[in-house]
Amino acid sequence: MTSPSLTDTPPPPAGNDVHSAVSGKAVRPGDRIFLGFSRGSGIALLVIMAAIAAFLTYRSVLAISGDKANFFTTLDWNPTGVEPKFGIAVLAFGTAVSSVIAMAIAVPVAVGIALFISHYAPRRLASPLGYVIDLLAAVPSIIYGLWGALFLVPHLTGLYSWFDDYLGWTGIFAYGDGAARSLFTVGILLAIMILPIVTSVSREVFLQVPKMHEEAALALGATRWEVIRMSVLPFGRSGVISASMLGLGRALGETMAVATVLSPSFLINTSLLDPGGGTFAQNIASKFSEADEFGQDALIASGLVLFVITLLVNGAARLIIARRKEYSGANA
Amino acid sequence: MSDVMTKPRPVTNGGHPVSLKHARLPRWTPPVLALAAAAAGSGIGIVGGLDSKIQWGLIAALVFILGTFALAAAVEGSRQAKDRMATTLVWIAFLLAVIPLASLLWETIARGIKVLDGYFLSHSMGTLPDAMPGGGIYHAIIGTLEQVGLATLIAAPIGLLTAIYLVEYGRGRLAKAVTFFVDVMTGIPSIVAGLFILSVWILILGFGPSGFAGSMALAILMMPVVVRSTEEMLKLVPNELREASLALGVPKWRTILKVVLPTSIGGITTGVMLAIARIAGETAPVLLLVWGAKTINNNPFEGAQQSLPLYVFQQWQIGTDAAYDRAWAAALVLIAFVMILNLVARGIARWKAPRTGR
């Protein structure tokens, strides 16, 4: 990492022709072509991103200008009628609620697993476990959906009636005797799906905690939990936050698992255990087959909202990671 | 972090000096307590008439946590009790995660194996009525292979060249912008990529659904993954190799092609294969752009095709027992495909790891 010409440390003189300065000759044509191709690919990537934003916005404008109701507050999705009326209020509510439930379950558990792998598991088990967690991140979402719909849902009805008996008075945990195809089930399933990603990022961070910090705490007589609370968690906090936000990004955009498990309806229902509600991605997948061209535009408009939300969440996660890099660099 | 250092550790107990060794619970306490808690959980479950095993587990876990805490607090003191409780919670978190994931794999294998045979792999659905048993996934396998192959042909070169640009040439604002947007692109939900191709390819340009339309959306999802992993691998190539080659008067592009890429080819292959494994399981864009078909369509550029994940979804939608069997079997094939890709990719990474240093 010492060569100034190849690493990204000091900016070279204008242009990228490093050896022309060395050899005193003009840049070779091969170099020029190769640089052209690789720079072109980078630019192509930017163009694709810009095109995504531009085309989604263009179709969304078509859709929203034809919408006879308020796009943000309407509790209905009927873009095919004579008076097309559709809005994203239900979808925004459902997406937010299911992701919040997913985060509330997944983040503590994922931090626990990460700690288990990095600090509690027997040494010989630790690295195979990390490996298995990485493999689980690769299970396709449709399979989680299939499992959720055919296995998880029937097994949750008992638990939900139990919740209803003791917590039903809150309103949130009230449960009639339907199938458990509700936003809460979606939240549980999303939690299981994002566990691997949150775990593996958190584990990386926990493994980077300087050994000296931990040994210093141990030498002072701290118990293992005190070591973790005073040296591991403070060091890993920003890493855990960004891991959670990456997980949140996944949960927000998850389509198939939600589409298979949820029994959708266009109502905002605050009893989360009962079927109903919807999310952005699920709504696109379930309404697509019956949509005409304007209906597809309407779905694209809701997709644009989802796109913007995930951009913000992921951008924030990246910013936190970038900040942390500087911080740990100063300490390393 | 400095709490520990400022708090002196109490060595006296109400004026009486205590021995340096605290009383400790014997080593067999946690397993015995766990058994007792499991017994209590199932006991309460049976007596209370709770029919869901999840409730039994929750009760047992609660009994175990509280029991450990109380016992440790009584015998060992509050700090040790907290430590034990944290240990318990961490183990429970681990079990809590293992149970659903193990159940997912088990269900897929146990239910998928039922109809999975040579006939299932070598036949399409053809004109078979949805509710009938029989049929197969040959058309879906063909579709998945073609769509993923085309997506790789589009995304791998662009991703590879972008990574080379970022590592070997990139400085200044363009490189920074590319780095940032690659990160942003990683987070695009797959359905949004599908909507983008839908709006351009089908709504504006007026093409019909085809495997190729799906491939383009999959390529968008694949590119950032390839860029990221390739970038990491290229950064691992020692600079001495590049300098040695440049010092011999080799042009930079030949240095990259003949020295840098061969050194990191193992890691790059791994990255591309992991990216393939990721897009092979994508359903949402395929649903919007390829639509699904019941018969074999070998031409990815014309007409609707099938793909494995979409087949799973559509069989689930049919909702009969025969269809569920087919969905599980296809899910098993898909999971096996993805897992084998993952294992092979990681094997290559280990086998061809760049030898840094000597």
Side-chain angles (χ1 to χ4, degrees):
Chain A
M1 292 292 151
T2 46
S3 156
S5 64
L6 292 162
T7 52
D8 49 358
T9 22
N16 291 301
D17 35 325
V18 176
H19 5 263
S20 70
V22 178
S23 60
K25 269 194 287 181
V27 186
R28 297 171 175 97
D31 267 341
R32 197 168 278 276
I33 294 169
F34 197 77
L35 172 62
F37 269 115
S38 56
R39 185 190 278 162
S41 304
I43 294 172
L45 249 147
L46 294 183
V47 170
I48 291 174
M49 276 304 290
I52 293 178
F55 281 102
L56 290 186
T57 314
Y58 166 61
R59 300 305 297 197
S60 306
V61 168
L62 290 184
I64 295 175
S65 58
D67 189 357
K68 295 280 180 283
N70 187 319
F71 180 66
F72 291 101
T73 55
T74 309
L75 302 177
D76 194 10
W77 194 271
N78 184 18
T80 45
V82 189
E83 285 258 294
K85 282 185 178 163
F86 54 91
I88 55 167
V90 174
L91 308 179
F93 174 78
T95 307
V97 165
S98 58
S99 321
V100 166
I101 295 170
M103 300 301 288
I105 300 173
V107 171
V109 175
V111 170
I113 306 170
L115 283 176
F116 180 81
I117 294 173
S118 66
H119 287 82
Y120 282 87
R123 272 282 146 265
R124 214 178 282 169
L125 266 181
S127 79
L129 277 179
Y131 194 74
V132 169
I133 298 277
D134 284 346
L135 274 188
L136 287 171
V139 174
S141 61
I142 181 69
I143 295 179
Y144 281 104
L146 190 67
W147 176 79
L150 297 182
F151 181 83
L152 187 65
V153 165
H155 281 79
L156 281 176
T157 43
L159 183 71
Y160 282 4
S161 344
W162 199 40
F163 277 165
D164 183 43
D165 289 347
Y166 294 98
L167 295 168
W169 52 268
T170 54
I172 295 175
F173 290 107
Y175 176 62
D177 288 324
R181 300 178 59 183
S182 59
L183 282 178
F184 198 84
T185 311
V186 169
I188 295 178
L189 187 62
L190 289 177
I192 296 171
M193 294 180 66
I194 63 175
L195 260 184
I197 174 91
V198 182
T199 303
S200 68
V201 178
S202 310
R203 179 185 53 124
E204 293 288 307
V205 183
F206 290 155
L207 287 174
Q208 284 169 17
V209 175
K211 268 273 162 292
M212 297 297 261
H213 289 194
E214 289 175 44
E215 284 167 6
L218 276 176
L220 289 165
T223 60
R224 187 151 58 171
W225 166 241
E226 284 162 346
V227 171
I228 286 170
R229 196 166 54 85
M230 287 182 276
S231 70
V232 177
L233 290 183
F235 183 89
R237 193 173 52 211
S238 60
V240 171
I241 293 174
S242 62
S244 321
M245 299 190 69
L246 289 180
L248 179 61
R250 293 235 171 147
L252 289 170
E254 179 47 49
T255 313
M256 298 326 285
V258 186
T260 47
V261 166
L262 190 68
S263 147
S265 70
F266 257 81
L267 288 172
I268 289 184
N269 188 352
T270 48
S271 67
L272 303 179
L273 302 184
D274 280 325
T279 72
F280 284 111
Q282 168 269 327
N283 185 56
I284 295 168
S286 359
K287 289 273 166 35
F288 177 76
S289 57
E290 62 198 44
D292 57 3
E293 189 170 323
F294 184 72
Q296 294 182 354
D297 281 345
L299 294 175
I300 289 173
S302 72
L304 178 68
V305 178
L306 176 65
F307 178 60
V308 172
I309 295 173
T310 46
L311 281 197
L312 292 179
V313 169
N314 280 301
R318 299 290 166 186
L319 267 183
I320 294 172
I321 294 179
R323 272 231 310 265
R324 188 182 161 280
K325 261 186 198 151
E326 290 159 25
Y327 163 79
S328 67
N331 265 320
Chain B
M1 241 172 275
S2 54
D3 274 13
V4 148
M5 299 162 204
T6 50
K7 261 187 220 153
R9 188 164 173 224
V11 283
T12 56
N13 185 5
H16 303 289
V18 291
S19 83
L20 278 174
K21 264 180 107 175
H22 278 282
R24 298 296 307 255
L25 286 169
R27 285 181 66 93
W28 46 261
T29 327
V32 169
L33 259 179
L35 277 180
S42 12
I44 296 175
I46 293 169
V47 173
L50 303 173
D51 45 358
S52 167
K53 300 284 186 301
I54 300 176
Q55 284 151 290
W56 296 21
L58 283 180
I59 294 173
L62 212 62
V63 170
F64 183 63
I65 295 171
L66 295 179
T68 315
F69 186 76
L71 202 62
V75 179
E76 296 179 331
S78 69
R79 283 179 58 214
Q80 297 296 332
K82 267 188 210 156
D83 183 44
R84 279 196 188 269
M85 182 147 100
T87 309
T88 313
L89 286 176
V90 163
W91 272 88
I92 286 179
F94 174 68
L95 291 179
L96 213 59
V98 165
I99 292 168
L101 296 172
S103 148
L104 173 102
L105 291 180
W106 170 249
E107 287 292 315
T108 311
I109 294 171
R111 296 200 197 184
I113 211 87
K114 255 198 279 179
V115 292
L116 185 60
D117 52 19
Y119 182 87
F120 187 72
L121 291 176
S122 58
H123 288 73
S124 74
M125 293 302 291
T127 52
L128 189 81
D130 287 338
M132 294 273 287
I137 54 169
Y138 180 74
H139 58 315
I141 296 178
I142 293 289
T144 289
L145 290 181
E146 284 181 354
Q147 289 150 29
V148 168
L150 279 174
T152 312
L153 281 184
I154 303 171
I158 295 185
L160 210 71
L161 283 168
T162 306
I164 290 175
Y165 173 70
L166 288 177
V167 176
E168 306 290 335
Y169 296 100
R171 302 174 193 89
R173 272 200 300 199
L174 179 64
K176 272 207 178 122
V178 173
T179 310
F180 177 75
F181 279 105
V182 166
D183 278 343
V184 168
M185 236 174 143
T186 327
I188 293 184
S190 57
I191 191 126
V192 171
L195 286 177
F196 164 61
I197 300 295
L198 175 78
S199 69
V200 178
W201 188 253
I202 294 182
L203 291 180
I204 293 178
L205 296 179
F207 291 97
S210 67
F212 181 65
S215 311
M216 287 191 287
L218 294 179
I220 291 178
L221 297 171
M222 189 174 175
M223 272 175 219
V225 186
V226 175
V227 175
R228 269 284 151 274
S229 59
T230 308
E231 221 186 325
E232 294 301 317
M233 287 305 129
L234 292 179
K235 278 183 187 159
L236 286 182
V237 175
N239 263 322
E240 286 81 352
L241 288 183
R242 296 190 181 90
E243 283 159 11
S245 170
L246 291 175
L248 290 170
V250 180
K252 184 159 182 171
W253 67 280
R254 282 185 70 90
T255 304
I256 295 172
L257 283 183
K258 296 282 175 182
V259 176
V260 177
L261 283 183
T263 314
S264 53
I265 191 71
I268 294 174
T269 320
T270 303
V272 172
M273 288 177 76
L274 290 180
I276 292 176
R278 190 193 145 186
I279 60 163
E282 284 295 351
T283 321
V286 183
L287 175 74
L288 301 188
L289 301 167
V290 190
W291 287 18
K294 295 180 76 176
T295 49
I296 301 167
N297 174 7
N298 283 324
N299 183 1
F301 296 98
E302 189 70 57
Q305 262 192 323
Q306 188 57 283
S307 93
L308 270 177
L310 186 59
Y311 178 90
V312 175
F313 181 61
Q314 291 182 338
Q315 292 298 322
W316 174 82
Q317 278 183 319
I318 293 171
T320 60
D321 280 344
Y324 283 156
D325 283 347
R326 285 194 292 264
W328 283 111
L332 180 58
V333 173
L334 180 60
I335 238 180
F337 177 64
V338 170
M339 288 293 160
I340 289 171
L341 263 180
N342 259 281
L343 289 174
V344 171
R346 280 160 211 269
I348 290 177
R350 186 167 289 186
W351 172 51
K352 280 236 163 200
R355 289 156 187 82
T356 47
R358 306 181 185 183

